[in-house]
Amino acid sequence: LMFKQPKFPSEVSAHQDSTYLYTEPLSAMGLWVALEDADESNGCLQVLPESHLAGVSRRMVLEGQGPETTFVGEAVEPDAKLYRSLPVSAGDAVLFDGALWHRSGRNDTDKPRLAYTFHTVEGGLQCVYAGENWLQPGTVPFVPLYSSPE
């Protein structure tokens, strides 16, 4: 659940979800569901169209066995003027590639802004989830959404 406090001056900085949920080949997908109307005044999602085509050049990984993390690789944040706002109504969903650069602005309104976010990665033999990713299955494994015949 993503909760933007009213009149709270913070923004979500530009990032790519595959920086944190890396697979080989890339497979992360993000689902962002508006629980309330979202526009530029309350910090709607902003994306850089087609930026996913360049892939991911920076990753957040565990240091040793963790729990500390570090970034490896270099990422140059795209120019802020290139992003496009995605105003949505409550109940709308935005599905996007994990390599897409995205961010959200401040909530300058008197009301909170709520959204539900969910991420998936491909499993199985064709896609490998990186063992050095910061998020690893623990005593409870990642739950598959579906299974396909082998």
Side-chain angles (χ1 to χ4, degrees):
L1 191 60
M2 304 294 284
F3 182 77
K4 280 203 176 221
Q5 296 279 1
K7 301 286 186 185
F8 195 70
S10 73
E11 301 176 348
V12 175
S13 61
H15 65 282
Q16 297 170 289
D17 294 338
S18 289
T19 296
Y20 310 97
L21 301 169
Y22 188 79
T23 61
E24 192 65 50
L26 294 176
S27 71
M29 297 294 290
L31 177 67
W32 193 93
V33 180
L35 300 179
E36 298 174 325
D37 293 348
D39 59 26
E40 289 183 357
S41 69
N42 65 357
C44 68
L45 195 63
Q46 299 172 350
V47 301
L48 182 59
E50 299 184 7
S51 59
H52 66 291
L53 299 174
V56 174
S57 59
R58 182 173 87 151
R59 296 176 49 209
M60 188 171 92
V61 300
L62 292 172
E63 286 187 9
Q65 298 301 308
E68 291 83 19
T69 59
T70 189
F71 285 96
V72 295
E74 292 294 323
V76 177
E77 186 176 326
D79 186 337
K81 293 178 274 196
L82 300 175
Y83 284 83
R84 291 191 188 155
S85 294
L86 297 179
V88 293
S89 298
D92 286 350
V94 179
L95 180 67
F96 55 93
D97 190 287
L100 184 75
W101 279 94
H102 60 286
R103 65 185 202 164
S104 63
R106 304 175 349 176
N107 181 357
D108 291 324
T109 71
D110 293 324
K111 297 181 184 177
R113 196 226 55 205
L114 293 165
Y116 178 76
T117 183
F118 185 84
H119 295 87
T120 65
V121 294
E122 194 65 40
L125 300 175
Q126 283 82 25
C127 197
V128 177
Y129 187 77
E132 62 272 17
N133 281 349
W134 73 278
L135 181 62
Q136 292 293 319
T139 55
V140 178
F142 294 149
V143 178
L145 295 176
Y146 65 91
S147 60
S148 58
E150 298 290 327

